[in-house]
Amino acid sequence: MFELPGLPYDYDALGKYISKDIMYLHHDKHHQAYVDKLNAALDAVPELRGTSLDDLLQNLTELPAQYKTAIRNNGGGHYNHALFWQWMSPDGGGQPTGEIAAQLNNKYGDFQSFVDEFTTKALSVFGSGWVWLQPDMEIIATANQDTPIMQGLEAPLLGLDVWEHAYYLDYKNKRDDYVKAWWNVVNWDFVASRFGE
Ligand code: MN
């Protein structure tokens, strides 16, 4: 059985950038629902019991047809959100240092140009989805709860949830204001630790 991981900080830790109300709803309700529905789907397929989340998501085509969509949506939701909490921190923001910074500068010219490109991608997602920074420094988007490892790509270094449930309480329809605020809480130490893996 998969379990909802605890937030690595208090619900109100991200302060004015992402409110306590959003964090509670997003973590305790939305993420919990993905975990519960993933477990419910797996309950019906005993032969998948004990399979890791990565294995499930990397081999979606091999899953029983009637459970594939549930595992894709809810497994992806669990995978993405478990990372998303760690990609934010009350001590976040600023700029990366070290090898990540060097590679971003190499690809985008400077940090601000990377931020601008990632932001443009985030605003271009129609409906619900995510934007990712991949280990090759490419910026990609996925729809719904799809995640790069479902597509045979590497695990992302950084990801941003652009579902309305991630920002609507604070920002209403202003996704651009949410994305702008989010940069202030990005946990670059966690990004760097993933890059080193
Ligand atoms: Mn979400």
Side-chain angles (χ1 to χ4, degrees), residues 9-173:
Y9 36 75
D10 291 336
Y11 292 105
D12 62 359
L14 302 179
K16 65 180 180 182
Y17 300 117
I18 300 180
S19 70
K20 179 184 181 180
D21 288 349
I22 283 196
M23 291 306 293
Y24 172 75
L25 183 76
H26 201 177
H27 176 269
D28 280 39
K29 302 298 178 186
H30 288 281
H31 190 174
Q32 182 73 63
Y34 296 125
V35 171
D36 291 345
K37 289 176 186 173
L38 173 63
N39 285 330
L42 292 174
D43 237 15
V45 198
E47 64 267 29
L48 291 177
R49 213 160 282 165
T51 308
S52 75
L53 187 55
D54 282 46
D55 278 351
L56 289 170
L57 300 181
Q58 286 168 332
N59 299 288
L60 286 174
T61 54
E62 293 165 30
L63 296 177
Q66 69 203 105
Y67 301 110
K68 195 181 298 182
T69 301
I71 294 171
R72 176 181 184 169
N73 289 341
N74 296 295
H78 177 37
Y79 179 97
N80 293 340
H81 288 85
L83 287 166
F84 188 55
W85 314 129
Q86 301 176 76
W87 277 319
M88 299 187 288
S89 165
D91 305 316
Q95 299 189 13
T97 55
E99 186 58 22
I100 280 250
Q103 298 239 5
L104 285 175
N105 288 341
N106 187 46
K107 172 94 180 169
Y108 297 98
D110 54 42
F111 179 68
Q112 189 57 48
S113 299
F114 156 70
V115 167
D116 292 345
E117 192 150 329
F118 191 100
T119 298
T120 298
K121 192 71 136 181
L123 300 183
S124 76
V125 173
F126 183 75
S128 298
W130 290 74
V131 180
W132 312 99
L133 173 66
Q134 291 295 109
D136 61 2
M137 300 296 137
E138 290 290 335
I139 297 165
I140 63 170
T142 57
N144 304 312
Q145 292 298 351
D146 283 357
T147 199
I149 67 167
M150 289 179 186
Q151 304 176 357
L153 299 171
E154 285 190 80
L157 296 180
L158 175 66
L160 171 60
D161 186 345
V162 296
W163 282 56
E164 281 193 343
H165 71 217
Y167 60 88
Y168 202 84
L169 277 183
D170 286 354
Y171 297 99
K172 299 297 185 279
N173 58 320

